[in-house]
Amino acid sequence: MVALDRKQIVQNAKHLVVKVGTNVLTTAEGRLNAERIQRLVGELCAIHARGVYTTLVSSGAIGAGMGRLGLAERPKFSPTLQALAAIGQGALIQNYEEEFSKRGVVAAQVLLTASDLSSRERYLNIRNTFYTLFNYGAIPIVNENDAVSSAELSLTFGDNDRLAALVSCLFPEPLTILLTDVDGLYDGDPALPESKLVSKVDKWSPALMEMVAEKKSSRSKGGMSSKLKAARTVTSVGGTLLVANGDDPDILSKIFAGAEVGTLFLPSERLAARKRWFRQAPSCGTLVVDAGAARALLKQGKSLLTIGVVETRGTFRKGDVVSIVDLQGRELGRGLSNYSSQDAQLVCGKRSNELADALGQDRDVYEEIVHRDNFQITVVD
Ligand code: GLU
């Protein structure tokens, strides 16, 4: 029965996003594993031939750059990593280009930074580009634009698991497959024989995050916790995510044949396209709310009023995505702010009859700093 469910899920998917980690794509010495890339491209072309809109999110630029320069250890400093990515990305895309074109499939390179997805306009623009590529029958190959990304400027996705999750959110009911070097999520330390592979997660719980012990390699970035976060993002916008072992060269064929491999995370919510965007978009600022406002948002389905906001953080414009947190710093949800950060500071904590005076003349006055229609809960009970 479970096998049948899986088969239906994967075979019904219209949009597929496959993410491959550095450990899968590079050898232990840090060189690109040409044979693995060949097999992967072969499998992707077979899925693409079934009419599935297929996107590949590929890591491996930094790994390939390290291989090119003969470095054994992953450097720690951003400019060095960025330079290595710039060196390696060309080699990576060249490999893909050769393999896809051998099979008559057009490949396209898309490099993104996190801020590209936080503006609604750019988000829509990127989505249009993807849809146009699909119309041309092309397979987009996505990576972070590492050469310009910067953690300090909040431009970075953090890792490619998150990038893959955010790219998946561009599409309705996506299937996301994260190929890594382990079989999936284990209910204990994967090194211990008593630990079992979790085959399916149909309900999100905070206890899941406690299951994952961090173990990172010297060449790659994310770990199982970043895969769980990606699963949370994708499933909360109506998508399905599978974590599976990319060291198996036939893994995608097995998945599409319905084999019970890896850990499958089932969708928890189906959201309209606009909510899908701001539910996952990187936020531009934060509104800290009091306990009454938190209750109104979470339990009573109400808007966030100015009186319930105790503090605003960051710089944002009217209409930008903001994160709404309680007094303990826990994110309750995300929404679109009716005020810029400057105006939000003037109105926070104010009653509706005090707003016009606080803002001064000729300013739009909203009782709701975030309207219910522009709000989406993100916290897990
Ligand atoms: N963008 C990085 C690269 O191509 C990978 C980041 C990651 O693996 O999470 O090397």
Side-chain angles (χ1 to χ4, degrees), residues 165 183 246:
D183 287 338

Side-chain angles (χ1 to χ4, degrees), residues 122-323:
R122 281 156 89 184
Y123 171 90
L124 291 176
N125 202 19
I126 291 165
R127 199 170 67 179
N128 286 337
T129 305
F130 273 93
Y131 279 107
T132 310
L133 288 170
F134 296 142
N135 282 341
Y136 279 127
I139 295 192
I141 305 173
V142 185
N143 197 356
E144 180 158 3
N145 193 353
D146 290 306
V148 304
S149 287
S150 147
E152 268 166 42
L153 300 177
S154 304
L155 280 178
T156 174
F157 290 101
D159 58 64
N160 273 8
D161 296 321
R162 179 161 159 74
L163 170 62
L166 296 188
V167 166
S168 301
C169 292
L170 291 164
F171 312 125
E173 296 172 31
L175 169 64
T176 310
I177 301 178
L178 304 181
L179 294 181
T180 181
D181 58 355
V182 291
D183 287 338
L185 173 70
Y186 280 83
D187 62 1
D189 181 348
L192 300 174
E194 64 267 27
S195 302
K196 285 200 199 61
L197 183 72
V198 178
S199 114
K200 192 167 77 173
V201 175
D202 48 18
K203 192 171 177 335
W204 190 264
S205 88
L208 282 170
M209 285 310 272
E210 286 156 27
M211 270 183 185
V212 295
E214 256 342 319
K215 192 169 136 286
K216 290 185 182 171
S217 88
S218 68
R219 279 172 296 133
S220 70
K221 213 169 176 190
M224 193 47 79
S225 78
S226 76
K227 300 202 169 33
L228 279 187
K229 286 181 198 153
R232 169 89 182 117
T233 302
V234 173
T235 57
S236 64
V237 300
T240 304
L241 184 138
L242 183 68
V243 179
N245 197 331
D247 286 341
D248 176 348
D250 301 318
I251 191 72
L252 290 177
S253 316
K254 286 182 185 163
I255 291 169
F256 274 80
E260 213 182 313
V261 289
T263 305
L264 185 71
F265 296 83
L266 295 172
S268 56
E269 243 177 296
R270 301 205 186 284
L271 293 184
R274 206 173 56 92
K275 284 206 169 184
R276 233 173 34 233
W277 165 61
F278 68 73
R279 164 72 181 74
Q280 50 71 30
S283 66
C284 302
T286 304
L287 302 176
V288 184
V289 303
D290 64 22
R295 213 169 26 250
L297 284 170
L298 298 183
K299 305 278 182 231
Q300 297 159 359
K302 299 243 171 89
S303 296
L304 175 60
L305 305 183
T306 49
I307 184 138
V309 180
V310 297
E311 191 190 334
T312 78
R313 296 184 194 141
T315 308
F316 48 90
R317 292 164 307 174
K318 178 177 174 174
D320 276 349
V321 181
V322 287
S323 167

